[in-house]
Amino acid sequence: TQLLEQSPQFLSIQEGENLTVYCNSSSVFSSLQWYRQEPGEGPVLLVTVVTGGEVKKLKRLTFQFGDARKDSSLHITAAQPGDTGLYLCAGHLGSSNTGKLIFGQGTTLQVKP
Amino acid sequence: DTGVSQDPRHKITKRGQNVTFRCDPISEHNRLYWYRQTLGQGPEFLTYFQNEAQLEKSRLLSDRFSAERPKGSFSTLEIQRTEQGDSAMYLCASSFLGGAIYEQYFGPGTRLTVT
């Protein structure tokens, strides 16, 4: 059983469309990160959210942390082919002080021109 | 700007051979993590160091795996008697212990293929 469930697992859309990726858990996380990973490379940190209800914006990307700190979402407006990649949510469990990250299984996004 | 580096980037080995990977973290970072990622999955935690001390190991880390960080700087991950199931991307990450946010920065990974 995955501690962090991401949905959808695969998403193929046309350039200009909007999309939302979800990251859900039954556990409380003290912080949650979103990463983007390209084939053959390591994950690149996009954002960290730590406060329940927090919303952060990064250009066309909007990240939200749920009020109870059990879920998060990533919304992309007007997707571009350069947004193609694997999007990973990862978090630190509320009870942990090791800094160990728990990852979701990822969402593969393909944006067609 | 020197991020996390890993060497080699790719390794092909025959089953039963030993392999060793190296990770150089961001210089001021005192925490170093190893993760393993298989195709279509998110990374899974293997172990982590705070300075030179190895503080946690996952159950995924069988006795064929050993990691070291002898001087609190670079780290090595050795796999003995490799098996085909060891084929994966091995990722290293580092972070700075301070404050409430443990943001981790990843290296490019080492892709291991066991034939």
Side-chain angles (χ1 to χ4, degrees), chain B residues 51-66:
Chain B
N51 300 312
E52 65 276 6
Q54 188 174 16
L55 296 186
E56 186 173 346
K57 293 194 288 187
S58 163
R59 283 174 291 178
L60 291 175
L61 214 65
S62 75
D63 56 7
R64 295 185 298 105
F65 288 70
S66 63

Side-chain angles (χ1 to χ4, degrees), chain A residues 2 9 30-31 33 35 37 39-45 47-48 50 56 86 88 92 96-106, chain B residues 6 9-10 31 33 35 37 40-45 48 50 55-56 89 91 95 97 100-109 111:
Chain A
Q2 198 85 16
Q9 289 191 39
S30 57
S31 70
Q33 283 81 37
Y35 290 84
Q37 185 178 23
E41 299 294 330
V44 175
L45 180 65
V47 78
T48 298
V50 294
K56 281 192 175 179
L86 177 67
L88 295 159
H92 297 103
S96 170
N97 65 352
T98 67
K100 170 176 77 177
L101 281 173
I102 307 295
F103 278 86
Q105 69 270 55
Chain B
Q6 292 188 244
R9 293 292 309 275
H10 304 275
R31 280 190 168 181
Y33 303 81
Y35 293 83
Q37 185 178 25
Q41 299 295 319
E44 294 176 291
F45 169 79
Y48 96 99
Q50 185 168 307
L55 296 186
E56 186 173 346
M89 174 79 95
L91 294 163
S95 70
L97 174 59
I101 300 175
Y102 303 118
E103 293 187 338
Q104 294 183 21
Y105 297 88
F106 283 80
R111 167 73 65 188

Side-chain angles (χ1 to χ4, degrees), chain A residues 58-100:
Chain A
L58 186 67
K59 298 183 181 177
R60 293 176 294 101
L61 278 60
T62 302
F63 304 86
Q64 187 164 6
F65 202 13
D67 290 341
R69 293 186 287 132
K70 292 183 179 182
D71 56 271
S72 181
S73 64
L74 157 60
H75 182 79
I76 302 179
T77 303
Q80 298 176 1
D83 295 328
T84 294
L86 177 67
Y87 288 83
L88 295 159
C89 66
H92 297 103
L93 283 171
S95 58
S96 170
N97 65 352
T98 67
K100 170 176 77 177

Side-chain angles (χ1 to χ4, degrees), chain A residues 4-61:
Chain A
L4 271 175
E5 293 281 351
Q6 277 188 246
S7 63
Q9 289 191 39
F10 301 97
L11 199 51
S12 181
I13 61 172
Q14 294 295 133
E15 182 176 1
E17 292 183 6
N18 301 333
L19 68 117
T20 302
V21 177
Y22 298 94
C23 181
N24 294 297
S25 178
S26 57
S27 300
V28 175
F29 286 83
S30 57
S31 70
L32 201 136
Q33 283 81 37
W34 284 91
Y35 290 84
R36 179 168 166 267
Q37 185 178 23
E38 298 200 20
E41 299 294 330
V44 175
L45 180 65
L46 296 174
V47 78
T48 298
V49 286
V50 294
T51 306
E54 183 176 4
V55 177
K56 281 192 175 179
K57 292 192 175 184
L58 186 67
K59 298 183 181 177
R60 293 176 294 101
L61 278 60

